[in-house]
Amino acid sequence: MTESIWTEPPRLATPEGVPYETWTEIDGDLGDLPVPLASAIARFRLAFARGDESRVPYWQVPDGVDVIADLPYADDGDGDGDADADPVRGHRLDLYLPHEAVVRGGHTLPVYVDIHGGGFVYGYKELNRNFCVNLAARGFAVFSLNYRPAPQTDLIGQLRDVNRALSWIRDHRGEYPIAQDGVWLTGDSAGACLAFLTTAIERPSAASVGASAGLSTGLSSVAKSLGITPSGIGVNGAALVSGVYDIARYVPPESGEYGAGVRGGLTGDPQSIMDVLAEPFYGCLRGAGRGVIDTGRIVRSVDLPPIFLNTSSDDFIESETLKLAVMLAEQGVDFELHDWKTAKAETLGHVFPVCMSWLPESQRVLDLIRDFTYTRL
């Protein structure tokens, strides 16, 4: 398969020798795919890895933040009943804690759950390490999740992975010095999409919320249609960075050839991977219908919590965040929008607070997330 994908073997490590597989799959999980689809995914991953390699030196855990790494949140076994078998890499999580909170103990530290981006096919939790340590340093416990990248699973499978991780956190949070009364979700790009959809799954239907009590156990239409039972952990809010939300248009209207969306491989436009994945990734939604993941329908039908939105004027999907902000405003949802305007000769770009957390603008975004969250505890 590898020889079929590549005309010549590519470089699969940074110039300093750090393997790309440290933070992402490249071609190791593509062996069962048709060559055109495998080639398109591999080249997309390679292009993104090349873009991220200059940021690897920043992926460090500073003094003052403790990390508990590679906790398995699902009992994968080995298929033969061996519960001690290595877990699927997509079913692991890390926990970042301010060291002071560990020393103090107690169960008051607010919790964020981070879902990394990558076009649904690229990256693992290591990609967001710098963002997570910066968030933890501002007074949060941060769980950073892996989920199985496409083509290992489809969109519903990724949402189930996040659901299983939340269930694990719900069952094990008493073991850590963190708050026990719910979590906040954060995600960037495709991860913001998964965080937004997970919020819709976990929160009740707007129509079922009691007028006086403001509480309900009624499932949202998203949870019902996708067949995912909410973890019940309690999602208190979300901070979404440069999210992709308008994905309903990629759901194929009728059955098609596996990978039929491939248009001659990667075009250089990051959005092209969405067309590549139309059938294998979004086809699972054909039965439920496009409406189940329609952003406007979700905003109108789900009792959404406070939402922090961030984008920039040179973010290639800036409009998706702005459209979501308009929908939230029309429904009276508590939200805060930050759309950073770049000056001449300045670049911020897509998901800048996550992939370049050391920038002054990124540090400001992290401070804003902290303020937004702490004023709503």
Short mmCIF file of all heavy atoms in Angstrom, two decimals, residues 105-154:
data_model
loop_
_atom_site.label_atom_id
_atom_site.label_comp_id
_atom_site.label_asym_id
_atom_site.label_seq_id
_atom_site.Cartn_x
_atom_site.Cartn_y
_atom_site.Cartn_z
N GLY A 105 -5.14 20.04 46.87
CA GLY A 105 -6.18 19.03 46.94
C GLY A 105 -7.55 19.66 46.72
O GLY A 105 -7.69 20.73 46.13
N GLY A 106 -8.57 19.01 47.23
CA GLY A 106 -9.91 19.54 47.08
C GLY A 106 -10.52 19.16 45.74
O GLY A 106 -9.90 18.48 44.91
N HIS A 107 -11.74 19.62 45.52
CA HIS A 107 -12.46 19.29 44.28
C HIS A 107 -13.17 20.53 43.76
O HIS A 107 -14.38 20.53 43.55
CB HIS A 107 -13.47 18.16 44.54
CG HIS A 107 -12.83 16.84 44.87
ND1 HIS A 107 -12.18 16.08 43.93
CD2 HIS A 107 -12.74 16.17 46.04
CE1 HIS A 107 -11.72 14.97 44.50
NE2 HIS A 107 -12.04 15.01 45.79
N THR A 108 -12.39 21.59 43.52
CA THR A 108 -12.98 22.85 43.07
C THR A 108 -12.42 23.34 41.74
O THR A 108 -12.94 24.30 41.18
CB THR A 108 -12.75 23.95 44.13
OG1 THR A 108 -11.34 24.11 44.34
CG2 THR A 108 -13.42 23.58 45.45
N LEU A 109 -11.37 22.71 41.23
CA LEU A 109 -10.71 23.19 40.03
C LEU A 109 -11.59 22.99 38.80
O LEU A 109 -11.96 21.85 38.47
CB LEU A 109 -9.38 22.44 39.85
CG LEU A 109 -8.46 22.92 38.72
CD1 LEU A 109 -7.92 24.31 39.03
CD2 LEU A 109 -7.32 21.92 38.53
N PRO A 110 -11.96 24.06 38.08
CA PRO A 110 -12.80 23.91 36.89
C PRO A 110 -12.14 23.03 35.83
O PRO A 110 -10.91 23.01 35.72
CB PRO A 110 -12.98 25.35 36.38
CG PRO A 110 -12.62 26.22 37.54
CD PRO A 110 -11.62 25.47 38.35
N VAL A 111 -12.95 22.33 35.06
CA VAL A 111 -12.46 21.33 34.12
C VAL A 111 -12.78 21.70 32.68
O VAL A 111 -13.93 22.03 32.36
CB VAL A 111 -13.07 19.95 34.43
CG1 VAL A 111 -12.55 18.89 33.45
CG2 VAL A 111 -12.79 19.53 35.86
N TYR A 112 -11.77 21.65 31.85
CA TYR A 112 -11.95 21.73 30.40
C TYR A 112 -11.61 20.38 29.78
O TYR A 112 -10.69 19.69 30.23
CB TYR A 112 -11.07 22.81 29.77
CG TYR A 112 -11.83 24.09 29.46
CD1 TYR A 112 -11.72 25.20 30.29
CD2 TYR A 112 -12.65 24.17 28.34
CE1 TYR A 112 -12.42 26.37 30.01
CE2 TYR A 112 -13.35 25.33 28.06
CZ TYR A 112 -13.24 26.43 28.88
OH TYR A 112 -13.95 27.56 28.60
N VAL A 113 -12.34 20.03 28.74
CA VAL A 113 -12.05 18.84 27.94
C VAL A 113 -11.73 19.34 26.53
O VAL A 113 -12.56 19.96 25.88
CB VAL A 113 -13.24 17.87 27.90
CG1 VAL A 113 -12.92 16.68 27.00
CG2 VAL A 113 -13.58 17.38 29.31
N ASP A 114 -10.49 19.07 26.08
CA ASP A 114 -10.03 19.58 24.79
C ASP A 114 -10.11 18.50 23.72
O ASP A 114 -9.67 17.36 23.93
CB ASP A 114 -8.59 20.08 24.90
CG ASP A 114 -8.07 20.59 23.56
OD1 ASP A 114 -8.65 21.56 23.04
OD2 ASP A 114 -7.11 20.01 23.03
N ILE A 115 -10.68 18.89 22.56
CA ILE A 115 -10.80 17.98 21.42
C ILE A 115 -10.03 18.61 20.26
O ILE A 115 -10.40 19.67 19.75
CB ILE A 115 -12.29 17.79 21.03
CG1 ILE A 115 -13.10 17.34 22.25
CG2 ILE A 115 -12.41 16.77 19.90
CD1 ILE A 115 -14.60 17.33 22.02
N HIS A 116 -8.95 17.98 19.86
CA HIS A 116 -8.07 18.54 18.84
C HIS A 116 -8.72 18.54 17.46
O HIS A 116 -9.66 17.79 17.18
CB HIS A 116 -6.75 17.76 18.79
CG HIS A 116 -6.90 16.37 18.21
ND1 HIS A 116 -6.94 16.12 16.85
CD2 HIS A 116 -7.02 15.17 18.82
CE1 HIS A 116 -7.07 14.83 16.64
NE2 HIS A 116 -7.14 14.23 17.82
N GLY A 117 -8.20 19.40 16.58
CA GLY A 117 -8.67 19.46 15.22
C GLY A 117 -7.79 18.65 14.29
O GLY A 117 -6.95 17.87 14.72
N GLY A 118 -8.02 18.85 12.97
CA GLY A 118 -7.23 18.13 11.97
C GLY A 118 -8.06 17.55 10.84
O GLY A 118 -7.69 16.52 10.28
N GLY A 119 -9.15 18.24 10.50
CA GLY A 119 -9.95 17.78 9.36
C GLY A 119 -10.57 16.41 9.55
O GLY A 119 -10.91 15.75 8.57
N PHE A 120 -10.71 15.96 10.79
CA PHE A 120 -11.28 14.66 11.16
C PHE A 120 -10.35 13.48 10.81
O PHE A 120 -10.67 12.34 11.14
CB PHE A 120 -12.66 14.43 10.51
CG PHE A 120 -13.67 15.49 10.82
CD1 PHE A 120 -14.00 16.44 9.87
CD2 PHE A 120 -14.28 15.55 12.06
CE1 PHE A 120 -14.95 17.43 10.15
CE2 PHE A 120 -15.22 16.53 12.35
CZ PHE A 120 -15.55 17.47 11.39
N VAL A 121 -9.22 13.74 10.15
CA VAL A 121 -8.35 12.65 9.71
C VAL A 121 -6.93 12.75 10.27
O VAL A 121 -6.16 11.79 10.20
CB VAL A 121 -8.25 12.57 8.17
CG1 VAL A 121 -9.61 12.43 7.54
CG2 VAL A 121 -7.51 13.77 7.59
N TYR A 122 -6.58 13.91 10.80
CA TYR A 122 -5.18 14.20 11.15
C TYR A 122 -5.05 14.51 12.63
O TYR A 122 -5.91 15.17 13.22
CB TYR A 122 -4.71 15.41 10.33
CG TYR A 122 -3.39 16.00 10.76
CD1 TYR A 122 -2.19 15.40 10.42
CD2 TYR A 122 -3.35 17.19 11.50
CE1 TYR A 122 -0.98 15.96 10.80
CE2 TYR A 122 -2.14 17.76 11.88
CZ TYR A 122 -0.95 17.13 11.53
OH TYR A 122 0.24 17.68 11.92
N GLY A 123 -3.94 14.05 13.20
CA GLY A 123 -3.56 14.47 14.54
C GLY A 123 -4.06 13.59 15.66
O GLY A 123 -5.05 12.86 15.53
N TYR A 124 -3.34 13.69 16.77
CA TYR A 124 -3.74 13.12 18.05
C TYR A 124 -3.58 14.23 19.10
O TYR A 124 -3.20 15.36 18.79
CB TYR A 124 -2.88 11.91 18.41
CG TYR A 124 -3.26 10.64 17.66
CD1 TYR A 124 -2.34 9.99 16.84
CD2 TYR A 124 -4.54 10.09 17.78
CE1 TYR A 124 -2.68 8.82 16.16
CE2 TYR A 124 -4.89 8.92 17.11
CZ TYR A 124 -3.96 8.29 16.30
OH TYR A 124 -4.30 7.13 15.64
N LYS A 125 -3.86 13.89 20.33
CA LYS A 125 -3.89 14.87 21.41
C LYS A 125 -2.56 15.62 21.57
O LYS A 125 -2.55 16.78 22.02
CB LYS A 125 -4.26 14.20 22.73
CG LYS A 125 -3.39 13.00 23.10
CD LYS A 125 -3.90 12.31 24.35
CE LYS A 125 -3.20 10.98 24.61
NZ LYS A 125 -1.75 11.04 24.77
N GLU A 126 -1.45 14.98 21.21
CA GLU A 126 -0.14 15.62 21.34
C GLU A 126 -0.07 16.92 20.54
O GLU A 126 0.72 17.82 20.85
CB GLU A 126 0.96 14.66 20.89
CG GLU A 126 1.21 13.50 21.84
CD GLU A 126 0.15 12.41 21.79
OE1 GLU A 126 -0.64 12.39 20.81
OE2 GLU A 126 0.11 11.58 22.72
N LEU A 127 -0.88 17.03 19.51
CA LEU A 127 -0.91 18.21 18.67
C LEU A 127 -1.28 19.47 19.46
O LEU A 127 -0.85 20.57 19.13
CB LEU A 127 -1.93 17.98 17.54
CG LEU A 127 -1.93 18.90 16.33
CD1 LEU A 127 -0.61 18.80 15.57
CD2 LEU A 127 -3.09 18.53 15.42
N ASN A 128 -2.08 19.30 20.51
CA ASN A 128 -2.60 20.43 21.29
C ASN A 128 -1.92 20.60 22.64
O ASN A 128 -2.43 21.30 23.51
CB ASN A 128 -4.11 20.28 21.50
CG ASN A 128 -4.90 20.64 20.26
OD1 ASN A 128 -4.38 20.63 19.15
ND2 ASN A 128 -6.17 20.96 20.43
N ARG A 129 -0.77 19.98 22.81
CA ARG A 129 -0.12 20.00 24.12
C ARG A 129 0.14 21.42 24.61
O ARG A 129 -0.13 21.76 25.76
CB ARG A 129 1.18 19.20 24.07
CG ARG A 129 1.93 19.15 25.40
CD ARG A 129 3.14 18.25 25.29
NE ARG A 129 2.75 16.89 24.97
CZ ARG A 129 3.57 15.99 24.40
NH1 ARG A 129 4.80 16.34 24.08
NH2 ARG A 129 3.15 14.77 24.16
N ASN A 130 0.67 22.27 23.73
CA ASN A 130 1.02 23.62 24.17
C ASN A 130 -0.21 24.40 24.57
O ASN A 130 -0.20 25.16 25.55
CB ASN A 130 1.78 24.34 23.05
CG ASN A 130 2.51 25.58 23.54
OD1 ASN A 130 2.14 26.69 23.19
ND2 ASN A 130 3.53 25.40 24.37
N PHE A 131 -1.30 24.25 23.83
CA PHE A 131 -2.55 24.92 24.19
C PHE A 131 -3.05 24.44 25.54
O PHE A 131 -3.47 25.24 26.39
CB PHE A 131 -3.59 24.65 23.11
CG PHE A 131 -4.96 25.17 23.43
CD1 PHE A 131 -5.24 26.53 23.33
CD2 PHE A 131 -5.99 24.32 23.81
CE1 PHE A 131 -6.52 27.03 23.63
CE2 PHE A 131 -7.26 24.79 24.10
CZ PHE A 131 -7.52 26.15 24.02
N CYS A 132 -3.00 23.12 25.77
CA CYS A 132 -3.53 22.56 27.01
C CYS A 132 -2.73 22.99 28.23
O CYS A 132 -3.31 23.30 29.28
CB CYS A 132 -3.57 21.03 26.91
SG CYS A 132 -4.80 20.39 25.74
N VAL A 133 -1.40 23.05 28.12
CA VAL A 133 -0.61 23.46 29.28
C VAL A 133 -0.84 24.94 29.57
O VAL A 133 -0.86 25.35 30.75
CB VAL A 133 0.90 23.16 29.10
CG1 VAL A 133 1.14 21.67 28.97
CG2 VAL A 133 1.48 23.92 27.93
N ASN A 134 -1.01 25.74 28.54
CA ASN A 134 -1.31 27.16 28.76
C ASN A 134 -2.67 27.35 29.41
O ASN A 134 -2.84 28.23 30.26
CB ASN A 134 -1.25 27.92 27.43
CG ASN A 134 0.14 28.39 27.08
OD1 ASN A 134 0.56 29.46 27.49
ND2 ASN A 134 0.87 27.58 26.33
N LEU A 135 -3.64 26.54 29.02
CA LEU A 135 -4.96 26.62 29.63
C LEU A 135 -4.90 26.15 31.08
O LEU A 135 -5.49 26.77 31.98
CB LEU A 135 -5.95 25.78 28.83
CG LEU A 135 -7.44 25.99 29.10
CD1 LEU A 135 -7.85 27.44 28.92
CD2 LEU A 135 -8.28 25.08 28.20
N ALA A 136 -4.19 25.06 31.33
CA ALA A 136 -4.06 24.54 32.70
C ALA A 136 -3.37 25.57 33.61
O ALA A 136 -3.75 25.73 34.77
CB ALA A 136 -3.27 23.24 32.69
N ALA A 137 -2.38 26.26 33.07
CA ALA A 137 -1.65 27.25 33.87
C ALA A 137 -2.53 28.41 34.30
O ALA A 137 -2.18 29.15 35.23
CB ALA A 137 -0.45 27.77 33.09
N ARG A 138 -3.69 28.56 33.66
CA ARG A 138 -4.62 29.64 34.00
C ARG A 138 -5.69 29.20 34.98
O ARG A 138 -6.67 29.91 35.21
CB ARG A 138 -5.24 30.21 32.72
CG ARG A 138 -4.28 31.11 31.97
CD ARG A 138 -4.73 31.40 30.56
NE ARG A 138 -3.93 32.47 29.97
CZ ARG A 138 -2.68 32.32 29.50
NH1 ARG A 138 -2.12 31.12 29.55
NH2 ARG A 138 -2.02 33.34 28.99
N GLY A 139 -5.52 28.03 35.58
CA GLY A 139 -6.43 27.61 36.63
C GLY A 139 -7.49 26.63 36.21
O GLY A 139 -8.64 26.74 36.66
N PHE A 140 -7.12 25.68 35.35
CA PHE A 140 -8.06 24.64 34.93
C PHE A 140 -7.40 23.27 34.95
O PHE A 140 -6.18 23.15 34.73
CB PHE A 140 -8.54 24.91 33.49
CG PHE A 140 -9.30 26.18 33.30
CD1 PHE A 140 -8.68 27.30 32.75
CD2 PHE A 140 -10.64 26.28 33.66
CE1 PHE A 140 -9.38 28.49 32.58
CE2 PHE A 140 -11.34 27.46 33.49
CZ PHE A 140 -10.71 28.56 32.94
N ALA A 141 -8.20 22.27 35.20
CA ALA A 141 -7.81 20.90 34.85
C ALA A 141 -8.20 20.73 33.40
O ALA A 141 -9.29 21.11 32.98
CB ALA A 141 -8.56 19.89 35.72
N VAL A 142 -7.30 20.15 32.59
CA VAL A 142 -7.57 19.99 31.16
C VAL A 142 -7.37 18.54 30.77
O VAL A 142 -6.26 18.00 30.85
CB VAL A 142 -6.66 20.89 30.31
CG1 VAL A 142 -7.02 20.74 28.83
CG2 VAL A 142 -6.77 22.35 30.73
N PHE A 143 -8.46 17.90 30.38
CA PHE A 143 -8.38 16.58 29.78
C PHE A 143 -8.24 16.75 28.27
O PHE A 143 -9.05 17.43 27.64
CB PHE A 143 -9.65 15.77 30.07
CG PHE A 143 -9.77 15.28 31.48
CD1 PHE A 143 -10.49 16.00 32.42
CD2 PHE A 143 -9.18 14.09 31.87
CE1 PHE A 143 -10.62 15.56 33.72
CE2 PHE A 143 -9.29 13.62 33.18
CZ PHE A 143 -10.02 14.37 34.11
N SER A 144 -7.20 16.18 27.70
CA SER A 144 -6.95 16.27 26.26
C SER A 144 -7.22 14.90 25.64
O SER A 144 -6.57 13.91 26.01
CB SER A 144 -5.51 16.71 26.00
OG SER A 144 -5.26 16.83 24.62
N LEU A 145 -8.17 14.84 24.70
CA LEU A 145 -8.66 13.56 24.21
C LEU A 145 -8.06 13.16 22.86
O LEU A 145 -7.88 13.99 21.97
CB LEU A 145 -10.18 13.61 24.01
CG LEU A 145 -11.06 14.09 25.15
CD1 LEU A 145 -12.53 13.93 24.74
CD2 LEU A 145 -10.76 13.34 26.43
N ASN A 146 -7.80 11.88 22.72
CA ASN A 146 -7.69 11.28 21.41
C ASN A 146 -9.06 10.78 20.99
O ASN A 146 -9.92 10.47 21.83
CB ASN A 146 -6.74 10.07 21.42
CG ASN A 146 -5.30 10.46 21.25
OD1 ASN A 146 -4.97 11.60 20.93
ND2 ASN A 146 -4.41 9.50 21.46
N TYR A 147 -9.27 10.69 19.69
CA TYR A 147 -10.40 9.97 19.12
C TYR A 147 -9.88 9.32 17.84
O TYR A 147 -8.86 9.74 17.28
CB TYR A 147 -11.59 10.89 18.83
CG TYR A 147 -11.26 12.10 18.00
CD1 TYR A 147 -11.30 12.06 16.60
CD2 TYR A 147 -10.89 13.31 18.60
CE1 TYR A 147 -10.99 13.17 15.84
CE2 TYR A 147 -10.57 14.42 17.83
CZ TYR A 147 -10.62 14.35 16.46
OH TYR A 147 -10.29 15.44 15.68
N ARG A 148 -10.53 8.28 17.39
CA ARG A 148 -10.04 7.59 16.20
C ARG A 148 -10.21 8.49 14.97
O ARG A 148 -11.32 8.93 14.67
CB ARG A 148 -10.80 6.29 16.00
CG ARG A 148 -10.50 5.21 17.04
CD ARG A 148 -11.49 4.08 16.94
NE ARG A 148 -12.84 4.53 17.29
CZ ARG A 148 -13.96 3.88 16.98
NH1 ARG A 148 -13.90 2.74 16.28
NH2 ARG A 148 -15.13 4.36 17.34
N PRO A 149 -9.13 8.76 14.26
CA PRO A 149 -9.25 9.59 13.06
C PRO A 149 -9.85 8.78 11.91
O PRO A 149 -9.70 7.55 11.85
CB PRO A 149 -7.80 9.96 12.76
CG PRO A 149 -7.00 8.81 13.30
CD PRO A 149 -7.73 8.34 14.53
N ALA A 150 -10.54 9.48 11.01
CA ALA A 150 -10.95 8.83 9.78
C ALA A 150 -9.68 8.43 9.01
O ALA A 150 -8.69 9.13 9.05
CB ALA A 150 -11.80 9.78 8.95
N PRO A 151 -9.68 7.25 8.37
CA PRO A 151 -10.81 6.37 8.09
C PRO A 151 -11.01 5.26 9.10
O PRO A 151 -11.73 4.29 8.81
CB PRO A 151 -10.41 5.79 6.73
CG PRO A 151 -8.93 5.62 6.85
CD PRO A 151 -8.46 6.83 7.64
N GLN A 152 -10.39 5.36 10.30
CA GLN A 152 -10.58 4.31 11.30
C GLN A 152 -12.03 4.24 11.76
O GLN A 152 -12.50 3.19 12.21
CB GLN A 152 -9.67 4.56 12.50
CG GLN A 152 -8.19 4.45 12.19
CD GLN A 152 -7.33 4.73 13.41
OE1 GLN A 152 -7.75 4.55 14.55
NE2 GLN A 152 -6.10 5.18 13.17
N THR A 153 -12.74 5.35 11.67
CA THR A 153 -14.16 5.39 12.01
C THR A 153 -14.80 6.57 11.28
O THR A 153 -14.11 7.32 10.58
CB THR A 153 -14.36 5.51 13.54
OG1 THR A 153 -15.74 5.28 13.85
CG2 THR A 153 -13.93 6.87 14.05
N ASP A 154 -16.12 6.70 11.43
CA ASP A 154 -16.84 7.80 10.77
C ASP A 154 -17.22 8.86 11.80
O ASP A 154 -16.79 8.80 12.96
CB ASP A 154 -18.06 7.26 10.02
CG ASP A 154 -18.98 6.43 10.92
OD1 ASP A 154 -18.96 6.64 12.16
OD2 ASP A 154 -19.73 5.58 10.40
#
